[in-house]
Amino acid sequence: MKKNIQIYFCLFLLSFILFACGEQENPPKEIQIFGIWSKVKQQFIRINNNKIIEDTVTYTSINDSSDLELFNDSTYRIKFYTFKDSGIFQGKYYRNKPSITFIPLDSPTNTDVYQELRLSETELWLKKTDPDNTNPNRIEIIQYFVKK
C-alpha cells in the first residue's frame, strides 16, 4: 500500500511537470521600418465644426510616384517622379513610437512630424496634422507599400 502511494505521488508530480511546462511564447517580432516604401495614396482632409469640408484623395500612377527610403543609420531619402519633374530630398529622421520626425538636410528648422497609423511588413501609413502649417483643421494621410 505504501509503495502504491509513492507510485501515485510520483505519477502526479510527473504529470504536473509535463503539463505545466508548455511551449514558451515568443514575443511578437518587431517590424522593421527600414527599407523602400512606395507611396500609393495621399489624402487631405479638412474639418470645420466636426464636419468634413474637404476630402481629396490622390493615387500615385506610373508618371507620378514617390519612394521613401528609410535607412538603418536614421537617414532618409525621398525620390519623387512626376510627369514634369523629379528630385530627391534627404535628411535625418527620429522614430519615437508612435511618431516619426523628419528633418531635411537643406532646411533643418523645417521639420515634419508624422504619426504612425499602421506599420506591417507591407504597409506604412503616416498621418500629419496641418501639413501646410496654415490650417489647423487639415490632416494629411499618406499610405505606402513596401517596394520589392
Side-chain angles (χ1 to χ4, degrees), residues 56-68:
T56 307
V57 178
T58 305
Y59 291 93
T60 59
S61 62
I62 295 172
N63 295 329
D64 183 14
S65 65
S66 176
D67 293 335
L68 170 63

Side-chain angles (χ1 to χ4, degrees), residues 33 95 98-100 114-119 124-126:
I33 198 166
R95 186 172 181 219
S99 65
I100 303 174
Y114 286 87
Q115 177 185 359
E116 288 180 33
L117 293 181
R118 180 181 299 168
L119 176 61
L124 171 63
W125 289 32
L126 301 176

